[in-house]
Amino acid sequence: MNFKFSQDQEMMRDSAKRLLADLSSYAAVHKILDSEATHDANLWKQMAEAGWLSTAIPEEYGGAGMGYLELAVLAEEMGKTLACTPFSSSIYMAAELIKAAGSESQKATYLAKLAAGDAIATVAYAEKGRIDAAGVQVKAQGRKLTGVKSPVVDGLSADLAIVSARDEEGVSLYLVNLADSKVTRESVATMDRTRKQARLSFNGVDAEPLGKAGQGAALLDAMSYKAAALFAFEQVGGAQAAMEMAVQYAKERYAFGRPIGSFQAIKHRIADMFVKVETARSSAYYAAWALESAPEKLQQAASGARVMGIDAYAFAAQENVQVHGGIGFTWEANPHLHMKRAKHLESLLGGAIVWRERLMRSLEQAA
Amino acid sequence: MDFNDTPQEAEFRAEVSQWLSQNAKLRSESGGMMSMFAEAEGGELRGEAEWEMVRTSQAWQRKKADANWGVITWPKKFGGRGGNIMQQVIWGQEEAKYETPANIFMIGIGMAGPTIMTHGTNEQKDRYLQPMLRGDEVWCQLFSEPGAGSDLAGLRTRAVKDGDDWVINGQKVWTSGAHYSKWGILVTRHDPSLPKHKGLTYFIVDMESPGVEVRPIRQITGGANFNEVFFNDVRIPDSNRLGAVGQGWAVSITTLMNERMSIGGGGGLFGGDNGLGSIVALLRETTLDGRPALEHDAVRQKMAEFAARFKALELTGYRTLSALSQGAMPGSESSVMKLAMGLLIQEMAAFIMELQGAAGVLTDRQDTLMEAMWQQAYLGIPAIRIAGGTDEVQRNIIGERILGLPTDIRIDKTVPFNEVPTGPSKKG
């Protein structure tokens, strides 16, 4: 049994840390928060140049052909620094769907572009927030899509969307070029303005089927377990960062003649953050290992990691605001960035209720 | 990253498994999990059944020692196997699959032994380690006092030098197994005029000495695993002092660090890869408000949350041990395990009792799920949250030693111990 990332993976982490320390400081995140920019374009470009986007894409499609453990290392560091890029939409979600369901020519066409950062892709699966397949109302007729998807993370910046739509076979996936004039994009207000979201309206736009007709729900479901494992690392990274911010502040802030971290009311709250971060971290490691090496364990492992990750990040982020007191309620301070990102990550792919039910089903199958 | 055995680990596991299969009986399906909460039935606090348990436990330890499985991690020169901590974990996982007697050697092998190895004289090592490892002599721990629990260094049991002996007077409490132990590890105060941590001295005491009186404490479980131990002019030869006079605190820390280390293994507690699988199966058969418990979403949600936390703790335990096995220094990470596990089991026990309807409160084995195991757990778990460092102490350890938060302001550390304020009834 070995819970460590390899030396090469740790070297990758070190270089990721350096790049993110330079380009994704809290000040840089605040800039995206206060601007209308869809994402941090310079950071995105540097990530692409450093080869991050190509990590888990096979070499024959222009990728680096490494594995999910490497992607997990990057996810944790991006989560820690609140990186404002479409990495998760384009790589954990869209690229994985194309890898799983794309034809040879689709893989050859799209994966190389995504790997190089020449195109951004996202997955448009929600309609008025509803994410289950039964709620899909966007229609596909003769390879043309009509209807509205909302919210779509990175829908403002993406070149390409994978859209779930209803056709004669049920729910199927389609690739849509978002630059098409028959697509309207609107910004939708979201509490986490560092990850902007869109409403996409399709007005009879041309669409290319991805995967077998009628398999849309199953494909999205399979993708969601992979993405959940990777998002768990963003959640653990974010929770760790929120906890470290609380520790730092509790050491520096004095009240009643002593640092507030010397009071057990504060110390014990932060200790509870640590317990949640560390247990969520163990669960995330297990899910990453399952994703890479033990697919038969992925459903249970990823469900567990998601349940633990959601809870750890929400708790650490919310209690970090509390530890900061009044300053924590200001826009200029940093704690709210994590509080909002925690809720953003929870809102994707279904929240804790959905994933606890999934975990229960996998336990029933095993019992 | 790999959660499977390495080839060496697999080979070791096979060796363990082969020996166990030839020397013990496999557990039945339902038994096993959390046997730590098992209580002797009936109202009798002490009796022949308990002595039978002690003898069976000693016989099993002797059998293991004869085959060089006595203690996996002790060095060979002290009679151990010279193995590593992952091998200890594997042993624990495999042994948990078999019906084996209660382990009454945790204090000796897990705590007193390593303390003697670190601080003892050669004579002490020669005298005590072999019989300890073979299970011939059982050990108990005499640390806590009625007025010194979380604040252990506030203990008041006095040691006064008299010729080549020390004379001990005072009272200890929460001593597991004192009534069947041959030896105790004892921390005393030899000088109340020194600051609290500096006036302590550590001894090995013969529990059969004149003046040692052991009285059972009846717990909220109804059982009596613990004792009060009174010392009335008990004489201990100076050759039984462990460490220098005044070094009692440092020696105690060695003992307590090893207490944390010895919680590893955990194979018996976690029931393998499927975590709570057996409970999920049972909830199919359990009717709640007219339909199977497992069809209630509230039950599904709660059980899934428990399962996620349970698995996360199992993994965290292994993660800590795997880091130790790769040469990391033993730190304070096991505080996470202890803190989170106590709280989780308490919540689970309360919930699973609720699912049993009118039988929720019963300790009767017939009418309850899993032979009242969760009821027993519910009664036993407060001890887990209090003993070996309370939840609050664990949070201090995490906050201060792991995260580097400032310590509380202390008024008791630098003044002479006999000037530290006390409650109305205690005077040092």
Side-chain angles (χ1 to χ4, degrees), chain A residues 237-303:
Chain A
Q240 170 99 31
M243 178 185 75
E244 284 171 2
M245 200 190 293
V247 167
Q248 196 56 36
Y249 191 73
K251 287 180 185 172
E252 290 166 0
R253 169 78 178 180
Y254 273 64
F256 307 102
R258 49 200 274 208
I260 61 169
S262 68
F263 290 106
Q264 291 189 343
I266 302 291
K267 184 181 295 168
H268 289 188
R269 198 185 295 270
I270 297 175
D272 287 341
M273 290 184 197
F274 183 80
V275 171
K276 285 182 187 274
V277 171
E278 287 306 298
T279 48
R281 178 183 298 283
S282 304
S283 303
Y285 282 18
Y286 184 56
W289 170 73
L291 180 56
E292 178 66 31
S293 309
E296 74 284 359
K297 292 188 161 73
L298 179 62
Q299 292 205 350
Q300 199 168 320
S303 302

Side-chain angles (χ1 to χ4, degrees), chain B residues 103-118:
Chain B
N103 182 353
I104 57 172
F105 306 104
M106 297 288 278
I107 305 277
I109 288 170
M111 298 163 67
T115 308
I116 291 169
M117 287 176 208
T118 308

Side-chain angles (χ1 to χ4, degrees), chain A residues 85-348:
Chain A
T85 73
F87 196 100
S88 50
S89 300
S90 204
I91 303 301
Y92 320 156
M93 296 171 74
E96 287 302 316
L97 277 173
I98 295 168
K99 275 163 71 178
S103 65
E104 268 311 303
S105 90
Q106 284 171 329
K107 289 187 207 174
T109 310
Y110 298 114
L111 288 178
K113 282 189 192 168
L114 298 185
D118 292 338
I120 295 170
T122 188
V123 183
Y125 56 95
E127 296 187 18
K128 283 204 169 175
R130 184 170 172 184
I131 64 168
D132 57 303
V136 171
Q137 293 187 14
V138 167
K139 282 203 172 47
Q141 276 179 318
R143 300 197 170 188
K144 291 191 190 300
L145 297 194
T146 310
V148 180
K149 289 285 180 186
S150 174
V152 182
V153 186
D154 300 308
L156 298 175
S157 59
D159 303 288
L160 182 74
I162 297 169
V163 183
S164 56
R166 197 165 288 285
D167 56 24
E168 311 82 60
E169 304 297 327
V171 173
S172 309
L173 299 184
Y174 290 87
L175 282 156
V176 175
N177 173 7
L178 296 180
D180 194 297
S181 62
K182 289 177 179 163
V183 178
T184 313
R185 319 188 197 205
E186 294 165 82
S187 172
V188 292
T190 171
M191 93 172 38
D192 183 7
R193 287 178 45 84
T194 66
R195 297 291 290 118
K196 298 209 169 53
Q197 307 223 35
R199 182 179 297 114
L200 301 183
S201 305
F202 305 107
N203 313 304
V205 65
D206 286 336
E208 179 185 333
L210 177 71
K212 281 199 191 113
Q215 291 299 302
L219 288 167
L220 285 173
D221 192 61
M223 177 276 286
S224 74
Y225 286 98
K226 296 181 184 175
L230 296 165
F231 275 124
F233 280 84
E234 289 198 21
Q235 289 163 324
V236 167
Q240 170 99 31
M243 178 185 75
E244 284 171 2
M245 200 190 293
V247 167
Q248 196 56 36
Y249 191 73
K251 287 180 185 172
E252 290 166 0
R253 169 78 178 180
Y254 273 64
F256 307 102
R258 49 200 274 208
I260 61 169
S262 68
F263 290 106
Q264 291 189 343
I266 302 291
K267 184 181 295 168
H268 289 188
R269 198 185 295 270
I270 297 175
D272 287 341
M273 290 184 197
F274 183 80
V275 171
K276 285 182 187 274
V277 171
E278 287 306 298
T279 48
R281 178 183 298 283
S282 304
S283 303
Y285 282 18
Y286 184 56
W289 170 73
L291 180 56
E292 178 66 31
S293 309
E296 74 284 359
K297 292 188 161 73
L298 179 62
Q299 292 205 350
Q300 199 168 320
S303 302
R306 179 138 179 93
V307 168
M308 298 301 288
I310 285 173
D311 180 53
Y313 199 9
F315 180 81
Q318 157 192 320
E319 297 307 313
N320 179 38
V321 172
Q322 183 70 16
V323 166
H324 276 72
I327 194 79
F329 193 62
T330 64
W331 190 265
E332 299 95 298
N334 297 325
H336 73 118
L337 300 175
H338 284 293
M339 195 177 102
K340 293 168 178 176
R341 180 62 66 85
K343 282 296 164 194
H344 170 80
L345 292 177
E346 181 180 343
S347 75
L348 306 173

Side-chain angles (χ1 to χ4, degrees), chain A residues 1-6 9 69 243 247 250-251 258-259 261-262 264 267-268 270-272 274-275 278-283 285-286 289 297 300 304 307-308 352-354 356-357 359-361 363-367, chain B residues 1-6 9 86 93 273-274 277 280-281 284 294 297 300-301 303-305 307-309 311-313 315-316 318-319 322 326 336 339-340 392 395-396 398-400 402-409:
Chain A
M1 196 184 297
N2 176 13
F3 281 69
K4 269 168 119 172
F5 286 99
S6 71
Q9 287 157 355
L69 292 177
M243 178 185 75
V247 167
K251 287 180 185 172
R258 49 200 274 208
S262 68
Q264 291 189 343
K267 184 181 295 168
H268 289 188
I270 297 175
D272 287 341
F274 183 80
V275 171
E278 287 306 298
T279 48
R281 178 183 298 283
S282 304
S283 303
Y285 282 18
Y286 184 56
W289 170 73
K297 292 188 161 73
Q300 199 168 320
V307 168
M308 298 301 288
I353 292 177
V354 171
R356 282 195 290 260
E357 175 58 27
L359 176 56
M360 196 66 211
R361 274 187 234 140
L363 288 171
E364 284 178 284
Q365 278 163 21
Chain B
M1 189 161 316
D2 189 349
F3 289 68
N4 291 325
D5 284 344
T6 62
E9 287 165 354
M86 284 314 290
Q93 290 172 335
D273 194 42
N274 191 23
V280 170
R284 276 193 199 123
L294 211 50
D297 281 336
R300 300 176 67 79
Q301 287 284 311
M303 289 308 298
E305 182 208 320
R309 288 163 63 190
K311 184 73 184 174
L313 281 174
L315 292 164
T316 301
Y318 293 150
R319 184 155 66 90
S322 133
Q326 294 178 359
V336 170
L339 174 58
E392 291 70 25
R395 289 192 179 96
N396 281 347
I398 292 169
E400 293 168 17
I402 302 182
L403 298 174
L405 288 167
T407 56
D408 213 334
I409 289 175

